[in-house]
Amino acid sequence: MDLTTRYLGLDLKNPLVASASPLTGDPATIRRLEDAGAAAVVLPSLFQEEIEAEEERFDRLTGAGEYSWPESSGHFPALAEYDHGPRHYLDLIAAARAAVDIPIIASLNGITNEGWIHYARLIQEAGASALELNVYFIPVDLAETGTAVEHRYRDIVAAVRASVSIPIAVKLSPAFSAVGAMATSLRAAGADGLVLFNRFYQPDIDIERLRVITDLRLSDPAEIRMALLWIAVLSGRVPFSLAASTGVDGPEEVVKYLLAGADVVMTTSSLLRRGPEHMRTLVSGLERWMASRGFSSLAAVRGIMNQRAMAHSRTYERANYIRILKGYQPVP
Ligand SMILES: Cc1cc2nc3c(=O)[nH]c(=O)nc-3n(C[C@H](O)[C@H](O)[C@H](O)COP(=O)(O)O)c2cc1C
């Protein structure tokens, strides 16, 4: 059975990737994921805020000390010796590289194109095979337009592209007016792939205690539909890699995303819920399904139910939406 695929120019043994989570922040667990069949892992994000906080501490230590008490500058380490920036992240990349043979994809998480971008270069130098950019931005400023938000994404991608040569994927929010046009413009800015979608952590309200609930709820399979739609629409029509992310629990969701046209399928919640070895269930479940349907290679599966393939039925379009609404049978 040939499960090989290509993502961001990387040749992978199968399409299963562990997305960013605490599991991928530990080299021993990355090893377990590899042993269970993961074809690549995305490390947890290094956040813009972490980089900026570290640099601010550095400036305070050096600048303030020298200004107030010149003699005290001798207490501070020389610039080259100082642990400048969240070095532990670079150490994690190196440790992960040493622990496994599969590609290590690093993740940078930020919302502006200044200051922290230079870390992309350090991440490349530390040995990451690719870089995932997570622009987790919620435009709560009512004056910030959709166009400005789109520019923000593009500017970040362009700034990172200018500083690294490794492939870049963008973990995209589903909240764009025109996901397809956004994808195309990110490609023009230098992205090599898209992760569909970023999962925004939405609050709830406790009506007894009158408190906002900000807990972390793992995803469930009902949540695959938004990403399934856009993977199906983009598959075969944009010249770059597509990673499906959100809602995978078992092999069924993996198969659905592949049929829609994903190059790889990512999962976090299923691994947090069931442990890293669940990866094995996902890979073997995919193999079993392919064998049962007579497929011997992933290439024969990928995208066969994308929008292009289903164009005659307009499955993914407005006409189908109207048919569904009109056809609904309410309880009498
Ligand atoms: C505990 C936890 C930590 C996460 N940390 C990160 C992170 O550091 N960077 C990131 O881009 N996504 C992070 N995510 C999001 C996941 O990578 C993934 O996009 C999300 O959980 C949706 O995928 P799933 O439905 O397979 O869980 C985290 C998710 C969880 C549950």
Side-chain angles (χ1 to χ4, degrees):
M1 182 79 65
D2 176 9
L3 293 186
T4 56
T5 187
R6 217 170 146 72
Y7 175 59
L8 304 176
L10 307 168
D11 288 314
L12 304 183
K13 62 186 174 187
N14 70 51
L16 269 304
V17 174
S19 40
S21 85
L23 288 177
T24 58
D26 168 37
T29 312
I30 294 176
R31 184 72 191 269
R32 282 171 64 192
L33 287 163
E34 180 188 48
D35 289 345
V41 297
V42 184
L43 301 184
S45 296
L46 175 58
F47 293 88
Q48 172 177 358
E49 289 80 353
E50 292 177 277
I51 297 169
E52 287 172 350
E54 194 69 23
E55 289 180 350
E56 217 176 284
R57 254 196 310 278
F58 176 77
D59 288 347
R60 251 200 333 269
L61 273 173
T62 52
E66 277 171 37
Y67 180 73
S68 323
W69 297 285
E71 72 280 10
S72 72
S73 63
H75 299 313
F76 297 114
L79 186 69
E81 292 162 40
Y82 186 75
D83 183 17
H84 191 215
R87 291 271 160 192
H88 67 273
Y89 196 79
L90 306 179
D91 294 342
L92 171 63
I93 295 171
R97 279 285 306 256
V100 294
D101 294 324
I102 54 176
I104 302 296
I105 301 171
S107 165
L108 267 175
N109 196 316
I111 55 171
T112 65
N113 67 338
E114 294 149 4
W116 59 287
I117 300 286
H118 66 278
Y119 242 85
R121 169 62 69 93
L122 299 179
I123 280 173
Q124 171 172 310
E125 286 167 3
S129 300
L131 183 57
E132 187 174 290
L133 290 177
N134 183 337
V135 183
Y136 193 101
F137 178 71
I138 302 176
V140 289
D141 176 354
L142 302 192
E144 182 152 2
T145 63
T147 307
V149 174
E150 290 173 14
H151 275 130
R152 181 185 288 274
Y153 272 72
R154 272 204 300 274
D155 291 349
I156 290 173
V157 171
V160 174
R161 179 75 289 160
S163 63
V164 297
S165 56
I166 53 175
I168 300 170
V170 182
K171 199 171 191 180
L172 199 62
S173 151
F176 284 100
S177 308
V179 173
M182 189 63 203
T184 307
S185 76
L186 290 174
R187 172 74 181 147
D192 302 282
L194 285 184
V195 180
L196 301 178
F197 284 111
N198 210 352
R199 184 167 179 258
F200 281 5
Y201 292 99
Q202 297 156 351
D204 197 358
I205 290 181
D206 179 336
I207 61 170
E208 296 305 326
R209 296 196 177 95
L210 297 187
R211 281 199 194 134
V212 175
I213 304 169
T214 54
D215 60 347
L216 197 158
R217 210 174 43 80
L218 297 178
S219 69
D220 62 64
E223 292 179 53
I224 73 167
R225 291 180 174 217
M226 177 73 94
L228 199 65
L229 166 67
W230 281 104
I231 298 243
V233 171
L234 297 179
S235 160
R237 296 172 68 201
V238 288
F240 61 2
S241 297
L242 296 174
S245 174
T246 299
V248 169
D249 192 48
E252 254 186 55
E253 291 77 53
V254 175
V255 170
K256 289 177 187 181
Y257 273 139
L258 292 167
L259 288 169
D263 297 301
V264 294
V265 179
M266 298 187 167
T267 181
T268 281
S269 291
S270 75
L271 302 172
L272 288 173
R273 205 179 277 125
R274 303 169 193 275
E277 281 67 34
H278 182 59
M279 216 16 127
R280 189 165 291 125
T281 306
L282 298 178
V283 178
S284 60
L286 169 62
E287 274 180 324
R288 248 197 322 280
W289 179 85
M290 284 172 61
S292 76
R293 308 289 305 196
F295 290 110
S296 58
S297 94
L298 196 73
V301 172
R302 202 185 311 109
I304 61 173
M305 296 190 71
N306 67 16
Q307 190 196 21
R308 261 185 161 174
M310 313 290 284
H312 59 283
S313 64
R314 298 165 79 188
T315 306
Y316 297 108
E317 295 170 41
R318 179 179 166 84
N320 200 37
Y321 153 77
I322 296 173
R323 191 184 57 76
I324 295 165
L325 295 194
K326 296 256 183 212
Y328 190 80
Q329 297 293 329
V331 178

